[in-house]
Amino acid sequence: MERRHLEYFIAVVDAGSISGAARRMHLSQPAVSQGLKELERELRTPLVQRGRTATLTPAGRALVAPARRVLRAFDSARAATEQIDDLASGVLDIAVAPLFSTDAVPLIRRFRERHPGVRVRLHEAAPGAEGFQTLRRAEAELLICGQPAPHPKHRAVRLPNTRMMAVFPPGTEGLPEGDLSMEELVRHDFVLTLAQESAIRVWF
């Protein structure tokens, strides 16, 4: 199995079609299709159902997360031989829950000032515990959210100076006198809205 085979496969997954993957990779469609066939032949199972769009088979869906992890491992190995010791190059993928997009901006700005050679790529994470799937699927190295980590391997770090105002109706019981933690907030009913125009931008 070659790295390019996994790159072709993930490109098809992200683009939703073989033709879209070819455009993203600046390759011909037959080249991507042939590489995908070679991967399927080596794994002895179909990964994609061909058509106007590429639909993953059960084996294809099972391969997505491991393939992303392998490609990240390749990138880490390459970076280790370059200038990674002082973070002079590379890509950092960060998933951000909608409520915390404004908190992420100053943190990312400070990181970029210290490490201008590192590109930061943002992804919008699902709210709540579901957002941690971006970490488990290896789609991001860091998740910024307010949900307690549901998996023992996830290490949570509290961000400084991140405060929001929660307003409850009269008669709400069980509220503390001081600051309200996210763990306490999720025990109560609340309304969440996010304007469409506040969508997260992709690159920093």
Side-chain angles (χ1 to χ4, degrees):
M1 184 185 305
E2 299 181 25
R3 174 180 177 171
R4 65 182 179 90
H5 291 150
L6 295 178
E7 288 177 332
Y8 294 169
F9 171 69
I10 290 299
V12 171
V13 171
D14 291 341
S17 67
I18 293 176
S19 59
R23 286 193 297 271
R24 288 189 179 191
M25 302 185 75
H26 304 289
L27 296 171
S28 68
Q29 184 172 336
V32 175
S33 181
Q34 180 60 33
L36 192 57
K37 288 178 182 177
E38 291 172 1
L39 179 60
E40 291 175 323
R41 188 161 49 247
E42 185 166 350
L43 295 177
R44 300 179 182 177
T45 185
L47 301 172
V48 175
Q49 294 177 353
R50 274 74 166 173
R52 291 185 61 125
T53 60
T55 303
L56 295 180
T57 65
R61 290 194 296 271
L63 180 62
V64 172
R68 291 191 192 278
R69 284 193 290 268
V70 169
L71 291 176
R72 286 192 187 282
F74 271 116
D75 291 339
S76 298
R78 181 176 59 187
T81 63
E82 297 173 351
Q83 297 173 304
I84 199 62
D85 287 341
D86 56 356
L87 292 179
S89 64
V91 177
L92 175 63
D93 285 292
I94 301 177
V96 184
L99 271 178
F100 292 86
S101 56
T102 55
D103 294 317
V105 172
L107 297 173
I108 294 170
R109 184 181 296 118
R110 290 198 295 271
F111 178 86
R112 293 284 286 115
E113 289 171 353
R114 295 183 183 181
H115 311 289
V118 178
R119 293 184 297 171
V120 178
R121 194 162 49 189
L122 286 187
H123 310 271
E124 186 167 348
E130 188 180 346
F132 284 83
Q133 293 303 316
T134 57
L135 298 179
R136 303 195 71 174
R137 291 193 299 261
E139 294 172 356
E141 289 96 1
L142 175 67
L143 170 66
I144 298 178
C145 69
Q147 180 75 19
H151 195 277
K153 290 186 178 180
H154 293 148
R155 181 169 176 263
V157 178
R158 186 175 297 277
L159 299 179
N161 302 321
T162 54
R163 286 197 169 194
M164 296 182 295
M165 182 69 69
V167 180
F168 294 89
T172 303
E173 299 180 355
L175 296 177
E177 294 295 330
D179 291 343
L180 184 69
S181 69
M182 188 59 66
E183 292 88 344
E184 294 166 324
L185 175 63
V186 296
R187 297 193 186 105
H188 299 274
D189 294 332
F190 60 92
V191 177
L192 168 65
T193 60
L194 179 67
Q196 185 63 34
E197 56 268 22
S198 66
I200 296 173
R201 297 187 179 276
V202 176
W203 285 99
F204 277 77

